[in-house]
Amino acid sequence: MHATLCDMIMDLVQNAIEADAAAINLNVEETETQLNIVISDNGKGMSAETLEKAKDPFWSDGTKHKQRNVGLGLPFLFQTAEMTCGMASVESEEGVGTTVKLSVDPKHVDLPEFGNFATAAVSLMSYGFDGDLTIKRSRNGAGYTISKRELTDALGNLSDVESIGLAKDFLESNEDAIIG
């Protein structure tokens, strides 16, 4: 299991990056009674057969990590949904992309803590892939949207320490504004 939901989000977005997605959308919508996380991409997608196999923690296609025989991202997603009476789903089509959804009660006793979203978002934005990641984040009606492309246009190279620091400050201020 992931230590935080942000760890899970980072793992699932990294899957989209590794699926050669040019566009990834991350939507995190939170209310007092519902937390919805949706990650969609236009990567290589999966066949129905591969998608079923990917739900098995002891299966890996062997292409991403040659020495690893496990793939835990989707199994942890479904485990989190099950243990919190939530819902999780994955829709995927080869050559089109994948959409991963998680919907849970944010106050459920068994839900891992949310984690530091600003740190997770900056890590994903500076990961070093050529595609664009757009993040839409809201909490109780207040929110913000930011994309890797916008950050790069404003700050320059996101592998530069100064740019990463400015991006983190910006995302932290947006998080502070919606969390209060």
Side-chain angles (χ1 to χ4, degrees):
M1 173 134 246
H2 292 95
T4 69
L5 291 175
C6 285
D7 293 333
M8 180 185 299
I9 290 169
M10 288 179 63
D11 185 33
L12 295 168
V13 171
Q14 184 175 356
N15 286 346
I17 292 168
E18 292 173 351
D20 299 324
I24 303 167
N25 293 298
L26 167 60
N27 187 352
V28 180
E29 180 182 12
E30 193 175 355
T31 68
E32 294 299 320
T33 59
Q34 200 68 36
L35 171 61
N36 297 311
I37 300 168
V38 179
I39 302 163
S40 61
D41 69 65
N42 66 350
K44 61 184 173 186
M46 295 178 274
S47 68
E49 180 183 348
T50 300
L51 179 55
E52 277 308 306
K53 289 178 182 178
K55 294 176 184 177
D56 178 351
F58 300 105
W59 179 85
S60 176
D61 67 3
T63 58
K64 287 192 321 186
H65 307 285
K66 303 272 186 235
Q67 302 300 325
R68 193 166 77 180
N69 295 322
V70 296
L72 299 175
L74 292 181
F76 280 158
L77 171 82
F78 287 104
Q79 179 187 23
T80 299
E82 182 179 328
M83 70 184 206
T84 61
C85 302
M87 295 176 58
S89 67
V90 181
E91 298 171 8
S92 191
E93 185 178 340
E94 282 185 289
V96 177
T98 302
T99 299
V100 177
K101 297 178 182 179
L102 177 67
S103 182
V104 294
D105 177 349
K107 295 180 182 174
H108 195 284
V109 67
D110 291 325
L111 187 67
E113 76 173 67
F114 189 75
N116 187 317
F117 190 75
T119 298
V122 169
S123 293
L124 291 169
M125 293 285 190
S126 61
Y127 186 72
F129 69 105
D130 292 330
D132 193 22
L133 168 63
T134 300
I135 296 173
K136 183 177 181 186
R137 170 93 160 100
S138 65
R139 186 164 195 256
N140 296 323
Y144 62 91
T145 302
I146 188 67
S147 73
K148 178 182 172 187
R149 185 186 71 252
E150 291 171 329
L151 281 175
T152 302
D153 288 348
L155 302 174
N157 187 342
L158 290 178
S159 63
D160 175 80
V161 173
E162 185 176 347
S163 294
I164 291 171
L166 291 170
K168 186 172 183 199
D169 290 346
F170 174 75
L171 285 160
E172 284 175 343
S173 70
N174 278 284
E175 283 294 300
D176 289 346
I178 66 170
I179 292 175

